[in-house]
Amino acid sequence: MKAKVVLFSLLALAAVSGAAAKSIELLNVSYDPTRELYVDYNKAFATYWKAKTGDDVTVKQSHGGSGKQARGVIDGLPADVVTLALAADVDALYDVAKLIPQDWQKRLPQNSTPYTSTIVFLVRKGNPLGLKDWDDLVKPGVSIITPNPKTSGGARWNYLAAWAYAKHKQGSDEAAKAFVASLYKNVPVLDSGARGATTTFVQRGIGDVLLAWENEAFLALKEFGSDKFEIVVPSLSILAEPPVSIVDKVVKKKGTEAVAKAYLEYLYSAEGQDIAGRNFYRPRDPAAAAKYAGVFPRLELVTIDAEFGGWAKAQKTHFADGGVFDQIYSK
Amino acid sequence: MSSKVKRRNVLPGFGLSLGFTLIYLSLIVLIPLSAAFIKTAGMSWADFVTAVSSPRVLASYRLSFGVSLIAALINAFFGLILAWVLVRYTFPGRRVVDALVDLPFALPTAVAGIALTAIYSKNGWAGQWLEPLWARGIHQLTVLVPAVDWENWLGGKLAFDRPGIFLALTFVGLPFVVRTLQPVLADLEPELEEAAATLGANRWQTMTRVILPELMPALITGFALAFARALGEYGSVVFIAGNMPQHSEITPLLIITKLEQYDYRGATAIAVVMLVASFVLLLLINLLQKWSRRYYRI
C-alpha cells in the first residue's frame, strides 16, 4: 500500500515537472560540410532555449550529400528542419512531396539563408602552376577536380561560378558554354559527391586544383595543414546560398513547430551569426561580417537569381537530362 | 479398369513445399522488384523510351555489360585454376588461402573500391609502377593498329578509368566461381584421370575430354553468378571508375544520378531495362548450362 502511494506521488511529480520543463528533440537534416557548424550551434541554441522557456532541447543532426538528404526527407525521414546546400533540394520537398509550401524561401529573411559561402580554388602548397583565376584553369595540362554536377549540389555551384565568370568576361552564353566545356575537358575524375572529390584531391593526390566550398577549403587547411595546401580566390565567384526551412508537415505532426521556427530564427541572431563566421561561413549580419572580414577575402560575388534567374531555371537549363552539361559531354 | 490412377510423388508434401517456395520467393524477390515495374508503369511509352535510350544511357549499357562479361570470363578462367589448386593440392597455408577467397563477399564494397583506388591510382604503391606500363602498352597498340582508338576503348589509365572498373568487378566476382567449382572438383575422383591415362589419353585429352566436361555445368553457373554480381555492382566501382559521361559511367551510377535529380521514374525505367536484360541473359546461361550437361554426359 505504502509502495503504491510512493509510486503514485512519484508519477504525479514526474507529470508536474514534465509540464514545467519539457524535453524536446529536433532532427536537423543537413548536408556534409555543416557538421562542425551545427555541433557548435546546437549547444548555443539549447542554452538559449533553456533560458528562454525552461525546456530542454536536443538537436540530432544528420549529414550526407544534399540531394540524398532531401530524398531521405521525401521518403519519410522525420526532419523538423532542413539545412541543405541549395534551394533546388529544398524545392524538391515541395515539388515531389508537398511537405512545405511553395513560397518557403520567403518565410525567413534573405532568401531563408542565414549564412553564405562561395566557391574558391584549393591548390597544392606553393601553387606550382601559378593558378590565379578561372582563366588559368582551362589551360592545357591543368587537372581540375570537381564532382559531377548532376549528383552533387556543391558541384552545381562550381559549374555556375565558372559560367558566371566567363559570361561576365566574354559577354555571351555561347562563350560561357565553350569556356565551361574546356574547363570540364581538364577534369579527369567526376566524383559523385563533394567529400569524394576532396578525398581524390587530398588523399589520392590527383589533380592540380580542387573547386571547393570556401568553408570546406578552410576546413581542409585546418585538418590537413596549411603546409600542404593553399586557397586561391578567383576574381569573381558565385554567392552560394545554402538555405534553411522547417518541414511543415513533420513539425505539425510532432508539435514542434514553435521550437523548430525559433531554431532557424536564432541562426540570424548575433550569436548564431558569430558561430557561422567561426565555422567559415560568411555571416549575413553586418556586425558579424565585419568581425570576420579578415578571414574572408573580398571578391566579386554574383547571385543565382540575378545571373541565372533562380535555381529552378538554372537546374532546367544546365543540369536536366539533355541540358547544357549533358551537351558538353555528348560527342 | 479406370486408367485414372493418381500419380503419387515418392516424397510427400510437394504441394505444401511448392506453396512455401512461391510465397517466400514473392516476399523476398518478386514484390520488391515489381515495385520498379509499377513505378515505371506511370510513364508514357515515349518518356520510357527517351529515358532508357539516351546516348549516355546506351553507352552505360555497353560498358556495364561489356566489362561485366570480360570480368566474369577472366574470373571463370582464373577461378578454375584457383579452385583446382585448393582442392587437389595440400600445401602449408591452404586453409588461409581458402578463407581469403571469401573476403570479397564480406568486405563492404565501398571499402573495396577505396582500397583498390588507393593501390592502383597513379601514386598508389602498385599504380605508380603499373600505370606507366599500361600507358606504354596502350601506346604500342596504337602504333601497331592505328585504326582503333585504343586509349578510348581500353582507357588510358588504370584507376579512374575503364581498367579500374574491370579490376573492381573482377574482385567482387571471384568467390562465386571458386565456391561453385570447389565441391564439384572435390567429387571428381582422381581415378578418372588415371583411367583416362591407362586408356592412352594424353594430358590434353584428359583435360578436354574427361575433366572439363564434368566441370562445365558448375563453371557456367559460377560464370553466371560472377557476371550477375558484376552487373549490379555499384559501391566499389564508383570510387575507381572516374565516372566520365559516355566513357566510364556504369548503368547503376546513372540510376543513382536520376534519383539525385528526383527523377524516380527515370531511375526505375533504367532499372527495369537492367532487370529484364539480366533476367534474359541468366535464363540463356541456364539453358546453356542444361545443354552442356546433356552434351557432355559421358
Side-chain angles (χ1 to χ4, degrees), chain A residues 118-123 127 129-139 142 144 158 161-170 179 183 186 208-211 231-238 298-300:
Chain A
T118 186
I119 300 302
V120 298
F121 308 159
L122 192 69
V123 297
N127 196 0
L129 295 187
L131 306 169
K132 293 266 184 303
D133 210 341
W134 293 100
D135 279 335
D136 299 324
L137 302 191
V138 297
K139 288 180 184 157
V142 178
I144 307 165
N158 298 348
W163 184 283
Y165 171 82
K167 180 96 187 278
H168 275 246
K169 190 149 190 213
Q170 301 173 19
F179 181 83
L183 188 140
N186 282 348
D208 303 307
V209 51
L210 172 75
L211 305 185
I231 294 175
V232 171
V233 179
S235 63
L236 178 147
S237 193
I238 196 156
R298 291 167 70 88
L299 70 161
E300 191 182 348

Side-chain angles (χ1 to χ4, degrees), chain A residues 66-90:
Chain A
S66 188
K68 197 180 288 163
Q69 293 291 80
R71 269 205 328 283
V73 176
I74 289 170
D75 293 339
L77 185 67
D80 300 271
V81 298
V82 287
T83 53
L84 296 175
L86 59 162
D89 286 330
V90 187

Side-chain angles (χ1 to χ4, degrees), chain B residues 125-157:
Chain B
W125 63 260
Q128 57 180 317
W129 309 109
L130 291 177
E131 188 155 309
L133 274 180
W134 177 264
R136 206 184 305 155
I138 295 290
H139 179 73
Q140 293 288 329
L141 269 176
T142 316
V143 171
L144 280 173
V145 191
V148 184
D149 187 356
W150 293 102
E151 189 170 332
N152 184 32
W153 275 100
L154 298 177
K157 293 168 288 188

Side-chain angles (χ1 to χ4, degrees), chain A residues 67-68 70-71 74-75 89 92 96 148 150-151 187-190 204-206 319 321 326 329-331, chain B residues 56 114 117-118 121-123 152 157 160 234 242-247 249 257-264:
Chain A
K68 197 180 288 163
R71 269 205 328 283
I74 289 170
D75 293 339
D89 286 330
V96 184
N148 188 337
K150 300 194 81 157
T151 48
V187 177
V189 185
L190 282 174
R204 299 285 94 76
I206 306 285
F319 309 118
D321 285 344
D326 278 358
Y329 273 103
S330 61
K331 286 162 196 165
Chain B
R56 217 172 139 200
I114 291 170
T117 314
S121 76
K122 71 166 188 226
N123 57 0
N152 184 32
K157 293 168 288 188
F160 305 116
Y234 171 75
N243 306 328
M244 301 308 284
Q246 305 213 16
H247 179 67
E249 271 184 328
T257 308
K258 295 258 179 206
L259 282 178
E260 291 290 340
Q261 300 172 75
Y262 309 104
D263 183 3
Y264 287 67

Side-chain angles (χ1 to χ4, degrees), chain B residues 141-240:
Chain B
L141 269 176
T142 316
V143 171
L144 280 173
V145 191
V148 184
D149 187 356
W150 293 102
E151 189 170 332
N152 184 32
W153 275 100
L154 298 177
K157 293 168 288 188
L158 283 181
F160 305 116
D161 209 333
R162 289 180 171 179
I165 306 178
F166 167 76
L167 287 170
L169 296 184
T170 314
F171 179 84
V172 297
L174 178 70
F176 291 91
V177 177
V178 179
R179 288 294 177 250
T180 347
L181 279 174
Q182 266 178 330
V184 183
L185 268 174
D187 279 352
L188 197 70
E189 291 120 4
E191 284 84 350
L192 270 181
E193 291 156 54
E194 288 163 17
T198 52
L199 291 172
N202 63 30
R203 287 188 172 185
W204 176 247
Q205 284 169 325
T206 313
M207 194 68 205
T208 53
R209 300 272 180 88
V210 179
I211 298 170
L212 268 185
E214 276 295 308
L215 291 181
M216 211 30 119
L219 192 61
I220 292 176
T221 305
F223 164 79
L225 287 173
F227 176 66
R229 177 75 178 81
L231 269 184
E233 177 61 16
Y234 171 75
S236 59
V237 178
V238 285
F239 287 99
I240 201 170

Side-chain angles (χ1 to χ4, degrees), chain A:
Chain A
M1 193 63 208
K2 202 175 177 186
K4 224 173 196 176
V5 173
V6 172
L7 189 69
F8 264 109
S9 47
L10 269 179
L11 276 177
L13 195 71
V16 169
S17 61
K22 280 184 290 182
S23 141
I24 308 162
E25 200 177 279
L26 291 183
L27 175 62
N28 176 5
V29 170
S30 195
Y31 62 112
D32 263 332
T34 57
R35 204 177 304 261
E36 295 78 10
L37 164 69
Y38 279 107
V39 167
D40 272 10
Y41 176 73
N42 291 344
K43 272 188 223 137
F45 178 74
T47 319
Y48 158 77
W49 194 247
K50 177 92 184 160
K52 195 180 169 199
T53 64
D55 294 345
D56 292 310
V57 55
T58 347
V59 185
K60 290 198 167 170
Q61 294 168 245
S62 161
H63 297 274
S66 188
K68 197 180 288 163
Q69 293 291 80
R71 269 205 328 283
V73 176
I74 289 170
D75 293 339
L77 185 67
D80 300 271
V81 298
V82 287
T83 53
L84 296 175
L86 59 162
D89 286 330
V90 187
D91 278 336
L93 300 189
Y94 165 76
D95 292 337
V96 184
K98 303 281 180 290
L99 293 171
I100 54 173
Q102 187 172 16
D103 62 347
W104 63 272
Q105 205 164 2
K106 301 215 168 64
R107 294 192 293 190
L108 284 167
Q110 284 151 321
N111 280 336
S112 288
T113 313
Y115 43 77
T116 65
S117 190
T118 186
I119 300 302
V120 298
F121 308 159
L122 192 69
V123 297
R124 302 197 186 277
K125 187 68 193 175
N127 196 0
L129 295 187
L131 306 169
K132 293 266 184 303
D133 210 341
W134 293 100
D135 279 335
D136 299 324
L137 302 191
V138 297
K139 288 180 184 157
V142 178
S143 163
I144 307 165
I145 303 298
T146 175
N148 188 337
K150 300 194 81 157
T151 48
S152 155
R156 269 172 245 172
W157 291 115
N158 298 348
Y159 169 103
L160 294 173
W163 184 283
Y165 171 82
K167 180 96 187 278
H168 275 246
K169 190 149 190 213
Q170 301 173 19
S172 74
D173 279 335
E174 287 73 44
K177 185 175 170 184
F179 181 83
V180 172
S182 53
L183 188 140
Y184 277 91
K185 276 219 177 67
N186 282 348
V187 177
V189 185
L190 282 174
D191 282 294
S192 60
R195 277 283 149 99
T198 309
T199 311
T200 300
F201 182 73
V202 172
Q203 317 271 23
R204 299 285 94 76
I206 306 285
D208 303 307
V209 51
L210 172 75
L211 305 185
W213 291 92
E214 186 178 50
N215 58 301
E216 275 274 84
F218 274 115
L219 272 184
L221 282 194
K222 205 165 118 183
E223 205 165 311
F224 303 108
S226 46
D227 54 329
K228 289 209 183 72
F229 303 102
E230 55 189 75
I231 294 175
V232 171
V233 179
S235 63
L236 178 147
S237 193
I238 196 156
L239 181 74
E241 298 182 300
V244 301
S245 174
I246 61 167
V247 184
D248 299 64
K249 278 216 172 139
V250 174
V251 293
K252 290 218 169 84
K253 202 169 142 203
K254 283 170 72 177
T256 47
E257 191 166 359
V259 56
K261 267 187 180 154
Y263 178 76
L264 295 184
E265 277 158 11
Y266 195 63
L267 281 168
Y268 291 87
S269 72
E271 188 182 17
Q273 291 287 296
D274 191 60
I275 291 171
R278 208 158 62 214
N279 285 285
F280 309 117
Y281 279 92
R282 294 181 175 225
R284 290 280 202 182
D285 177 54
K291 184 178 167 190
Y292 291 99
V295 179
F296 300 114
R298 291 167 70 88
L299 70 161
E300 191 182 348
L301 292 172
V302 298
T303 67
I304 185 148
D305 290 335
E307 200 73 22
F308 298 95
W311 259 115
K313 194 158 170 249
Q315 181 76 22
K316 196 155 175 257
T317 318
H318 294 278
F319 309 118
D321 285 344
V324 179
F325 182 74
D326 278 358
Q327 292 162 25
I328 286 175
Y329 273 103
S330 61
K331 286 162 196 165

